[in-house]
Amino acid sequence: MTGREIREKYLKFFEERGHQILPSASLIPHNDPSILWTAAGMVPFKPFFTGQAVSEYKRVTTCQKCIRTPDIEVVGRTARHHTFFEMLGNFSFGDYFKEKAIPWAWEFVTEHLGLPKEKLWITIYLDDDEAFEIWHKVVGVPAERIVRMGKDTNFWEIGVGPCGPCSEIYVDLGEARGCGSPDCRVGCDCDRFLEIWNLVFIQFFRDEEGNYSPLKNKGIDTGMGLERVASVLQNVASNFDTDLFREIMDYTADLAGQKYGQNENIDLALKVIADHCRAVTFAVGDGALPGNEGRGYVIRRLLRRAVRFGRVLGVKEPFLYKVSQAVIQQMQTAYPELKQKAEHILRVISTEEERFLETLAAGSDILSALISEAKAAGASEISGDDAFKLYDTFGFPLELTQEIAGEQGLGVDVDGFAAAMEEQRKRARSARQETEYLSEKGVMYKALREELGENRFMGYGTLTTDSNVLALLKDGLQEISAEAGEEVEIILDVTPCYAESGGQVADIAVLRGKDVEVEITSVSRPVEGLIVHRGKVLSGVLKRHDAVKVEVAKVRRQDIARNHSATHLLHKALKEVLGEHVNQAGSLVEPDRLRFDFTHYAAVTPEELARIEALVNEAVLANLPIEVFETSLAKAKEMGAAALFGEKYGKQVRVVKMGEFSMELCGGTHLTSTAEVGLFKIVNETSVGAGLRRIEAVTGLGVLRHLAAKEAQLQEVAAVIKSPIHELVRRAEGLVQHNKALEQEIENLRNKLAKSEVQEILGQVQQIKGVPVLAAVVAAPDMDNLRGMVDMLRDKLGSGVILLGSAAGEKVNLVAAVTKDLLSRGLHAGNLVKEIAKVVGGGGGGRPDMAQAGGKEPAKLQEAITKVASVVEAQIK
């Protein structure tokens, strides 16, 4: 049975039992900053298990794409470790429980997958007698094949929140796959007993003190690893030998002119490349981009590791984007977003791959310098720290460093490398955050919502409501009243205030009641169905159950709506001008500006920016009607409405349509006509990461303020250079030309002075053990001039050692050179300048023939120059 057939069979099985098939959620968790990746099938449904949100469906089934990265280094070395994998799951939110989940699991694995019943073993939690009864009496599993296990393996919980016991299904793969121990049984670390499915019974709530209380609405959360099941059904020894990997591995092998199954190192490289390329392809498709931190760093590390293993195959040109094409080809039926994003995915991967190959070249230069330094110092090996820096900074595998160093007769401190690697792992482990289902504060808000009921947002149609105060909170505790000067959280039955979400900032408002006035400064939605207002009581006393009137700041709301509507026009214009690969990657909508992040591979040119700005303003001046309506998600997609990638939408969605120009799903507040935007002006375009750009813009009165500021700047410049505004360009060009002429004249004078000084200091050459040595303090304004003087002196000397120093303000510059004929005598410019720099409170280094350094104590420069002779004498062999 192929991986595709297993996937389809599983989803169909649960669909026939009343489950809604949902597409896989994005690998980038939506609205969950506590985790980097979607690492399990239940992650997208966390709010439903916690009660933070209510699912439209009681029963759901998915095939969820997942990424886990704690064991990157062992991928390919074991049969089961992966960074990217697919998790089949069925979920119940307060509907069925163990009585259905257990028999269905048994039916599927025995009747639909055809696994022999006598090969299956079951684990349950120690005291879960209910599960035992169902497995034994209802399903018919012999009692001796049901194993009770402890909390560490068979009880699921993470911090505060819903939790419960687990039950797992294991397959006995036979004695030949075992460890040979007479004690080998379920739970052994060997490969004989393979867990394929875990059923989690969400039935308790764990509080901060560690107490467990039964949940009113119990849940089911199951996970079956597709790759593992495929390995059993295809009767292969490892997940990598299934069709899910072999197609990609065979493609890579053909690309490299290699064969799988003939060489251990080649096999390892093919496995790592297949695994990492799957992860990178899917992650980039979901909006992740290579970077230096967070998930961007994970992508960069996986991609670079795959490229490095390409060298094991003998591939030194960019190739990973081709492997990615094979991944897309294989997986696009199950995950159609891969095909839609193919151009973007391949562009990102090929760009990053080319950059890394350049980095590898730079690393080779660094390693050459380290080898020269080690030889000059009489060392027999490259230090572990240096080898690790090459690995961590430039992506050099230890094996490559050992190979290159070995060619030069040097070893590598492998133990030191391992120690540095372990230190990094410790730092990574300590930095890894524990993921909680729901924070303590979230639990409190959820309880409030259950107590008070959901409150309603009325602000799409009105900026004023008559409301009732349902609750007041101070420091997380409910209060009866709040007096003037106190800050308080307020929960109303209805509100016109927009809670911050989707990049749009919250409204501010005034709440007035009998003899009381409150300034609302922020509005949030901590759990679905509950809007919380934070404010300060300005006068009087606000009491629970007060009848109040709430008024949103109208002008500010209108300014926000201008900027929000403008982001929709901008998004469409970007696609028109730059291409369909452009997608929104984040936004900020405030009253005085908008910020829009989007995927693109290069800086947007001034000409492109002008076209984008013109397109938006054309749409503004066209006075297009802005229609807002609700419809089904399927209907919205059929109409061509753009959705924010990775966003989770319910059955009913809100569509914002601007004439025939733009149509997007959006929950924000908008204008009624594009003409109300007034004007649109881009004020900045920058990079915010690899393949990620940012545009900042203003609208309406913000444009007038921007233009007024620019005009004031022009007036100021005109006054400074004494020119009318209409002649500024001509006058500025004249000044630039005049300035260039003066700079050239100064440079010519400097060169004459330098030549003169060079002739003068040549008389200071001294002989040390037959080596001409010249050390002097000179007048050079910067490092470039100092290097120029050293070059001239080296040409004049022909053979010798030179070290020049100059003081520039509070800084000291040092440059050293050793002519190539003297390198064999142990002389090393990098080591020389590093030693001399210590005298002036600095540091530096470089190649054996040329190096530079800096310092911060100009008063000690002469002392440093005096020391040159003794350092050179010590170096000479």
Side-chain angles (χ1 to χ4, degrees), residues 66 83 148 175 188 294 350 468 526 581 615 649 688 718 722 741 760:
C66 302
T83 55
R148 294 181 186 262
E175 287 185 27
C188 183
S350 63
N468 292 299
H581 66 274
L615 268 177
Y649 296 101
V688 286
K722 298 180 174 58
E760 191 178 317

Side-chain angles (χ1 to χ4, degrees), residues 27 65 84 277-286 324-346 645:
L27 282 167
K65 49 196 176 186
F84 174 86
C277 196
R278 279 171 27 121
V280 170
T281 299
F282 274 91
V284 171
D286 278 1
S324 179
Q325 275 181 311
V327 173
I328 293 169
Q329 184 66 34
Q330 184 196 46
M331 306 291 267
Q332 63 186 5
T333 304
Y335 302 98
E337 67 269 19
L338 289 179
K339 187 174 183 180
Q340 295 161 13
K341 304 270 180 178
E343 183 187 348
H344 167 68
I345 293 167
L346 301 179
F645 196 73

Side-chain angles (χ1 to χ4, degrees), residues 782-803:
D782 53 37
M783 195 68 87
D784 287 341
N785 277 272
L786 197 59
R787 278 196 299 267
M789 291 180 74
V790 168
D791 287 340
M792 281 190 273
L793 285 165
R794 186 169 49 190
D795 292 343
K796 294 280 185 186
L797 274 180
S799 174
V801 177
I802 303 157
L803 191 143

